[in-house]
Amino acid sequence: MYDYGLSTLIQYGMEAKSSSRTRGALVCRTDQGLLILREFHGSEKKLLFQQELLKKISQEGCLVDTFLENQEGSLITRDKDNIPYTVQTWYEGRECDTKSREDIVRSVQTLAKIHKSMNMPVEAPYVVRPLTEEYIRRNREIRKIRKFIRQKGAGVTFEKAYLGSVQRFLEKGEKALEMLTRSDYEKLLYKARKEGALCHGEYNQHNVLLGRNHTAVTNFGHLGFDVQISDLYCFMRKILEKYNWDVSLALKMLEQYHKVRPISPEEWENLKIRFTYPEKYWKLANYYISHRKAWISGKNTEKLEKVIGQLEIWGDFPEKCFGKYPF
């Protein structure tokens, strides 16, 4: 019977008293506390870098999922079938509930706290592509997808909705790029590089565990050197899409982050630009062209129609939220 890597715990000098499946992993109760066991797919070099960062954050008082070394001093352990696994510290708690404003506030406060500890000497392989290059690439993709659908003919609802809306969203994309090139982004980027600022890279509700008296942050596998405010943007965007771009909630999140880690005028301007860019629209279009399926899921069509339906309120959001610094 397949043990999902449980046998590797012997190489850590422990065994699981009980275990339960979770997203792509096993949560194990052991005599050394709560741990999570995962099959490992990444680069060992990046894993070592990640561990160095996690130890630094942990030493500065934040709860994160640091890796355990096996009895041979390695972070990676192979089972009898030579499948590699890692074991990490885990925590009692539940994921951030996006329907709870209290959970949202705790998650933002925690992000600001860990950001203050996330600085390391810059290593080139983990430097994130500049936002200017990213926007140029994305805008090019939006135009390319428009051309592709026009040439083949819009046969399904998704394609028809895309062609009917693409010009308005592309204009937003070009506007964001123009704003970015005229902003102090290069100055912001230079400062982040100089300080060795790191981002979580995928800070969302699934990677925040809330306990009664603690909050833990997990899954740092997408970490990278970048302007840290990008983490705050990613978390806020996912939340605000669910709240129909509620400005009062956005300001509450910004205020709570700012109390722990002050947002500079340049970062404030950068957030406004990021929220001007039609990221969700681009993501849906990119998913469509990457898969190029004859059949497009109704779920993705619904998502696109929702984004189009929110165009006006989303379009007004950056000015309403970021018109005045700070708040």
Side-chain angles (χ1 to χ4, degrees), residues 15 36 45 87 101 186 193 218 240 245 247 285 289 317:
E15 63 179 48
I36 193 162
K45 184 180 178 183
V87 175
R101 295 191 178 221
E186 290 299 326
R193 297 282 187 271
T218 66
L240 292 168
W245 299 97
V247 174
I289 201 68
F317 173 81

Side-chain angles (χ1 to χ4, degrees), residues 88-225:
Q88 292 168 270
T89 306
W90 205 244
Y91 303 91
E92 299 282 3
R94 54 179 175 76
E95 292 184 358
C96 166
D97 182 358
T98 57
K99 294 178 182 176
S100 165
R101 295 191 178 221
E102 182 182 342
D103 281 12
I104 292 167
V105 165
R106 280 180 68 182
S107 298
V108 167
Q109 290 169 336
T110 301
L111 176 63
K113 187 178 178 183
I114 66 166
H115 272 169
K116 292 172 75 174
S117 303
M118 291 181 69
N119 298 87
M120 298 263 286
V122 174
E123 293 195 23
Y126 316 123
V127 172
V128 175
R129 185 202 309 252
L131 194 58
T132 314
E133 292 179 21
E134 191 65 28
Y135 281 177
I136 289 170
R137 180 180 67 85
R138 291 180 186 180
N139 288 345
R140 188 185 304 124
E141 286 178 2
I142 291 173
R143 287 191 291 268
K144 181 180 176 181
I145 295 165
R146 175 177 61 185
K147 182 179 179 181
F148 171 77
I149 296 175
R150 280 177 175 171
Q151 287 178 343
K152 75 179 264 312
V156 295
T157 305
F158 183 97
E159 294 168 342
K160 291 173 183 175
Y162 184 83
L163 286 187
S165 59
V166 63
Q167 186 57 37
R168 287 172 290 168
F169 283 96
L170 184 56
E171 284 171 3
K172 290 285 188 181
E174 297 290 4
K175 178 183 177 183
L177 177 58
E178 184 184 345
M179 290 169 68
L180 188 64
T181 55
R182 288 191 282 106
S183 73
D184 286 324
Y185 174 64
E186 290 299 326
K187 176 182 174 183
L188 197 59
L189 197 59
Y190 175 79
K191 183 173 183 289
R193 297 282 187 271
K194 187 177 179 182
E195 295 175 353
L198 276 154
C199 292
H200 179 283
E202 201 173 55
Y203 194 84
N204 58 44
Q205 67 270 23
H206 304 301
N207 295 328
V208 182
L209 290 178
L210 301 171
R212 184 173 294 179
N213 299 308
H214 67 265
T215 305
V217 182
T218 66
N219 299 319
F220 284 75
H222 290 85
L223 86 174
F225 291 98

Side-chain angles (χ1 to χ4, degrees), residues 308-319:
I308 294 168
Q310 289 183 331
L311 176 57
E312 188 173 337
I313 193 166
W314 162 73
D316 292 338
F317 173 81
E319 198 58 51

Side-chain angles (χ1 to χ4, degrees), residues 2 38 51 60 67 74 95 114 192 210 212 221 233 238-239 270 274 279 295 300 321:
Y2 188 51
R38 282 196 180 92
Q51 174 74 338
E60 294 183 22
F67 293 88
S74 176
E95 292 184 358
I114 66 166
L210 301 171
R212 184 173 294 179
Y233 160 73
K238 287 180 179 291
I239 297 296
N270 193 250
R274 288 177 188 268
E279 183 157 343
W295 178 81
N300 274 6
C321 188

